[in-house]
């Protein structure tokens, strides 16, 4: 359904990023940035990129408009814990954090994305022509708790003995509860059925080798 790249995670201090790291289109910092680290964070932006970070108790949005020009505006007042300051190792040097390289997709991956997008658009046009609206998957309903049956108590001597209340109203309530439970159970079973994957069906019907079909039906190589 989606064609965004797989995220990559790196553990380390963002104030120790290697100097040869590439720049980014979007950056968000989830901790308070000290004023003397502001320029360090802005250098990580590409021209046209946007940086959002809390600085001096203000959530600030910074747009890089040129090599040496930025536009900043305050969004709202906030209170964040400050960034952890970098530590030096035993040799007195900082441990730099290496970020993953920016890899360009290969031709095979780009072709797969284009084919899937073309088939998806074709399916959407078919559904619109037939007047079929795309429905979201049904939500699972909560199963209702069964009501407790009311008992009566009879004194026999010094003892209190519970006795069932056998009445037509109580039996009707029990039958209604049973019908509701059966109905909820059948709805849950229906909701658990996987939705129909039209894109997969369209791919499998194409006159292509099985290896290519398997490649097209998965977003990433398994």
């Amino acid at each position: 359904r989606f064609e965004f790249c797989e995220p990559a995670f790196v553990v380390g201090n963002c104030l120790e990023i290697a100097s040869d790291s590439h720049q980014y289109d979007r950056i968000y910092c989830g901790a308070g940035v000290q004023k003397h680290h502001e320029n360090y964070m802005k250098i990580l932006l590409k021209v046209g990129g946007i940086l959002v970070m809390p600085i001096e108790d203000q959530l600030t949005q910074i747009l890089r408009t040129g090599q040496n020009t930025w536009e900043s505006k305050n969004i709202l007042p906030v209170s964040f814990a400050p960034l952890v300051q970098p530590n030096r190792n035993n040799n007195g040097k900082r441990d730099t954090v290496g970020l993953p390289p920016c890899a360009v997709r290969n031709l095979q991956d780009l072709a797969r994305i284009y084919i899937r997008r073309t088939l998806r658009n074709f399916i959407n046009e078919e559904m619109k022509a037939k007047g079929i609206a795309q429905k979201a998957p049904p939500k699972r309903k909560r199963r209702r708790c069964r009501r407790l049956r009311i008992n009566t108590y009879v004194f026999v001597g010094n003892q209190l003995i519970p006795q069932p209340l056998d009445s037509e109203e109580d039996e009707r309530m029990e039958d209604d509860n049973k019908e509701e439970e059966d109905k909820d159970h059948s709805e849950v079973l229906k909701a658990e059925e996987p939705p129909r994957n039209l894109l997969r069906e369209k791919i499998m019907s194409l006159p292509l080798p099985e290896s290519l079909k398997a490649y097209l039906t998965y977003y990433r190589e398994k």
Side-chain angles (χ1 to χ4, degrees):
R1 182 178 295 248
F2 302 105
E3 294 162 357
F4 49 78
C5 61
E6 185 175 0
F9 299 93
V10 177
V11 178
N13 194 316
C14 71
L15 297 177
E16 298 177 346
I17 296 175
S19 59
D20 58 348
S21 175
H22 57 274
Q23 297 172 322
Y24 291 89
D25 298 315
R26 298 291 184 272
I27 299 176
Y28 171 76
C29 182
V33 179
Q34 291 80 5
K35 188 67 177 177
H36 58 278
H37 290 310
E38 180 181 358
N39 290 332
Y40 170 85
M41 301 295 291
K42 293 195 297 186
I43 293 300
L44 297 174
L45 275 180
K46 287 182 179 180
V47 176
I50 297 176
L51 165 65
V52 176
M53 63 179 179
I55 183 169
E56 294 184 340
D57 296 329
Q58 289 286 333
L59 189 63
T60 307
Q61 175 182 307
I62 298 175
L63 170 65
R64 186 167 191 175
T65 56
Q67 290 296 333
N68 299 311
T69 55
W70 291 269
E71 292 181 0
S72 62
K73 65 177 180 179
N74 295 333
I75 301 175
L76 75 162
V78 293
S79 178
F80 279 78
L83 281 173
V84 176
Q85 296 302 304
N87 295 324
R88 297 181 182 274
N89 56 20
N90 297 332
N91 298 328
K93 296 181 180 180
R94 294 181 179 179
D95 296 326
T96 58
V97 178
L99 299 181
C102 183
V104 181
R105 293 181 184 270
N106 56 34
L107 182 59
Q108 189 179 23
D109 198 16
L110 293 173
R112 175 178 57 179
I113 291 174
Y114 186 81
I115 293 172
R116 287 173 61 88
R117 184 185 302 158
T118 303
L119 291 174
R120 190 185 302 114
N121 294 336
F122 182 68
I123 292 171
N124 292 336
E125 290 177 0
E126 279 187 344
M127 295 180 69
K128 288 181 181 179
K130 295 178 181 178
I132 303 174
Q134 295 183 359
K135 297 182 180 179
K139 298 180 180 179
R140 293 187 62 176
K141 293 186 178 180
R142 284 186 176 182
R143 187 173 180 178
R144 296 184 181 179
C145 297
R146 186 173 180 178
R147 299 174 187 173
L148 297 176
R149 189 170 182 175
I150 302 174
N151 294 330
T152 58
Y153 296 88
V154 179
F155 283 98
V156 179
N158 295 328
Q159 295 181 354
L160 186 63
I161 302 175
Q163 296 290 333
L165 180 62
D166 294 329
S167 63
E168 294 182 359
E169 184 179 357
D170 187 54
E171 291 177 0
R172 181 174 57 80
M173 289 173 61
E174 187 173 348
D175 293 339
D176 292 343
N177 290 336
K178 188 175 180 180
E179 290 178 0
E180 289 179 359
E181 288 179 2
D182 294 340
K183 183 179 179 181
D184 292 342
H185 183 65
S186 62
E187 289 179 354
V188 168
L189 291 178
K190 290 180 181 179
E192 291 178 351
E193 294 179 359
R196 186 180 176 186
N197 193 330
L198 296 176
L199 179 59
R200 183 182 180 85
E201 293 178 5
K202 183 69 70 174
I203 292 173
M204 298 306 292
S205 64
L206 294 174
L208 299 173
E210 293 299 325
S211 58
L212 180 55
K213 290 181 181 179
Y215 187 70
L216 289 172
T217 50
Y218 288 90
Y219 170 62
R220 302 181 185 93
E221 291 181 328
K222 299 294 181 181

